[in-house]
Amino acid sequence: MSHLRIPKNWTIQRSTPFFTKDSVPQALLTHHNTAAEVFGQLVVMEGTVTYYGFADGDATEPEVTVVINAGQFATSPPQYWHRIEMSDDAQFNINFWSDSDKRNEKMFNVKK
């Protein structure tokens, strides 16, 4: 789960700025999922980000826990529910990949 392969014909549609504890969107710290036909690639530049994957939007216990250290990345498949926690010194960004032009579309969904 920590490194599901992004299909080779897919391209980056959008990248976020680098986030820190002070700038991370609250949505990333709570249950959310990547949009249909979108892979997320979380790239850690400094510190540690812990990724928790869930069987569905209502699950409270993670089925997957991945610790991503500086210099590493992990992928999140389309429509997979997850959230993150980060160390105080963490700095990371997210690349969103797809096989079609989705640059102007929503890349993730937050649990309502």
Side-chain angles (χ1 to χ4, degrees):
M1 172 53 216
S2 67
H3 188 71
L4 292 176
R5 186 178 302 274
I6 297 169
K8 66 180 179 180
N9 61 318
W10 288 29
T11 58
I12 294 175
Q13 300 297 306
R14 189 180 315 150
S15 294
T16 68
F18 284 98
F19 298 125
T20 65
K21 274 266 197 187
D22 294 330
S23 64
V24 65
Q26 187 62 32
L28 298 181
L29 304 175
T30 61
H31 268 49
H32 66 283
N33 70 3
T34 43
E37 301 176 13
V38 174
F39 251 96
Q41 178 189 32
L42 192 150
V43 181
V44 178
M45 297 301 288
E46 292 182 22
T48 302
V49 175
T50 304
Y51 172 101
Y52 298 97
F54 298 90
D56 58 51
D58 295 322
T60 57
E61 292 297 318
E63 66 178 358
V64 172
T65 301
V66 180
V67 176
I68 314 159
N69 296 306
Q72 299 177 329
F73 71 90
T75 58
S76 189
Q79 298 182 297
Y80 185 68
W81 289 97
H82 59 280
R83 70 175 179 82
I84 63 161
E85 289 179 359
M86 52 195 299
S87 63
D88 289 340
D89 62 342
Q91 185 176 20
F92 72 95
N93 82 318
I94 302 168
N95 298 311
F96 294 101
W97 295 73
S98 183
D99 67 343
S100 59
D101 186 349
K102 294 186 178 299
R103 287 173 287 186
N104 295 318
E105 295 181 29
K106 197 172 177 178
M107 296 290 166
F108 67 92
N109 304 294
V110 178
K111 185 176 176 184
K112 297 181 190 243

